[in-house]
Amino acid sequence: MQTADAHFVEAHGAKIPALGLGTWELSGHSCSRIVEQALRLGYRHIDTAQIYDNEREVGEGIRNSHIRRDQLFVTTKVWTTHFAPNDLVRSAKESLVKLRLSEVDLLLLHWPNAHVPLAETLGALAQARSLGLTRHIGVSNFTVALLAEAVAVCPAPLVCNQVEYHPFLDQQKVLAACALYGMALVAYSPIARGNAKKSEVLTRIGVAHGKTAAQVCLRWLIQQNVAAIPRSSRLERLAQNIDVFDFELSDAEMQEIFTLGSPKGRLTTMPTAPVWD
């Protein structure tokens, strides 16, 4: 099995490992154990967030793996209630305390927040970078229009937009916008929360390559120069998800998978108004 060590998506000086581990809904000892096992299997990209309430456990898993820090790419995300400038920097420092890291590799705004001017929030995010709290900064769940605004007002380069992306959700406009601004796209829910295995097309293509439908999803994303962060709590799935660098989808297979996409394929909805308060 090949590991993800040599496969990156690059943007504005950031080298984001093309295959990472998402940790949404992982908690407690199970979370730290999964992170440790993933790193031992060859993962080098770990994604967490303040709202996941597992940064402490993610940090524990990183330490238990004994993988050198300079070999890892760690992302966390600032929650929307911490977007006021002073609050953002303070909350980023709190995340580092929980992770027991001196800096993260990537700090993202988790969702847009219309109640705080974007220029102020991005100014604070850039300040977190200049203070050495993070090596790179970016956004998550930003639309094409918001990306344009963010790039225009941010005083430092934004390296990525992390969004839901899988074969059932058409994200070509967002992907094109990221390319236009030299940004990477990082895909969460890349296996559509397990729905990939229900697809006859993905299953058939997988059989042709000796792979699962989930592995086909991940390979499809990687061949678009997209980084993917599937979440799993099962060791065998961790091993399968990283085993996607020894085959290649044909142009015809890629196009057939694209036909599965729809603007209505979204699984994640924007938090409701009370979240902003």
Side-chain angles (χ1 to χ4, degrees):
M1 179 179 69
Q2 300 184 50
T3 69
D5 288 10
H7 302 270
F8 298 94
V9 176
E10 300 189 39
H12 296 301
K15 293 181 68 175
I16 305 172
L19 202 290
L21 175 71
T23 62
W24 175 62
E25 291 189 328
L26 297 181
S27 63
H29 177 67
S30 174
C31 176
S32 58
R33 180 178 57 86
I34 288 296
V35 170
E36 177 185 354
Q37 290 176 333
L39 292 173
R40 292 183 184 277
L41 282 169
Y43 287 75
R44 294 296 180 264
H45 177 182
I46 304 295
D47 179 273
T48 182
Q50 293 172 351
I51 199 66
Y52 299 170
D53 195 27
N54 65 7
E55 289 172 314
R56 201 175 305 278
E57 290 80 6
V58 167
E60 182 181 344
I62 289 172
R63 289 188 300 279
N64 291 344
S65 75
H66 301 295
I67 302 297
R68 280 175 28 200
R69 175 65 182 94
D70 62 1
Q71 295 180 351
L72 302 178
F73 192 96
V74 181
T75 299
T76 194
K77 300 181 277 293
V78 181
W79 189 239
T80 57
T81 52
H82 304 311
F83 278 12
N86 291 339
D87 200 20
L88 189 148
V89 170
R90 178 192 57 76
S91 72
K93 290 178 179 178
E94 288 178 356
S95 288
L96 294 180
V97 169
K98 291 176 181 177
L99 287 161
R100 287 176 62 181
L101 298 176
S102 60
E103 65 175 2
V104 289
D105 297 280
L106 182 58
L107 185 66
L108 304 179
L109 303 182
H110 203 150
W111 283 88
N113 182 348
H115 296 278
V116 182
L118 185 57
E120 292 184 12
T121 302
L122 287 170
L125 191 65
Q127 182 187 13
R129 177 177 177 267
S130 67
L131 290 171
L133 307 180
T134 181
R135 294 176 60 227
H136 306 286
I137 58 175
V139 296
S140 182
N141 297 301
F142 271 43
T143 63
V144 171
L146 276 173
L147 271 184
E149 182 183 351
V151 170
V153 301
C154 190
L158 295 168
V159 305
C160 90
N161 186 18
Q162 185 184 119
V163 299
E164 178 184 341
Y165 189 27
H166 47 74
F168 310 113
L169 178 61
D170 184 354
Q171 288 281 37
Q172 290 307 295
K173 290 181 180 178
V174 174
L175 187 59
C178 287
L180 176 65
Y181 302 125
M183 297 169 64
L185 191 148
V186 177
Y188 69 78
S189 298
I191 306 170
R193 298 185 191 168
N195 289 331
K197 63 186 177 184
K198 301 176 185 177
S199 167
E200 181 276 329
V201 170
L202 296 174
T203 299
R204 171 170 45 79
I205 292 173
V207 168
H209 293 277
K211 298 291 182 178
T212 66
Q215 289 171 314
V216 170
C217 283
L218 297 173
R219 185 68 204 181
W220 177 75
L221 291 166
I222 289 167
Q223 286 184 214
Q224 296 176 65
N225 202 34
V226 168
I229 49 170
R231 176 191 64 83
S232 180
S233 58
R234 295 169 57 184
L235 182 59
E236 63 271 24
R237 289 283 171 79
L238 287 176
Q240 286 179 358
N241 288 345
I242 203 172
D243 190 19
V244 293
F245 298 102
D246 60 350
F247 77 108
E248 187 168 337
L249 300 171
S250 68
D251 289 344
E253 289 169 331
M254 290 288 291
Q255 290 305 314
E256 187 175 9
I257 297 169
F258 274 116
T259 66
L260 302 175
S262 157
K264 299 179 180 179
R266 191 177 305 278
L267 299 171
T268 304
T269 57
M270 190 170 183
T272 53
V275 174
W276 313 132
D277 297 339

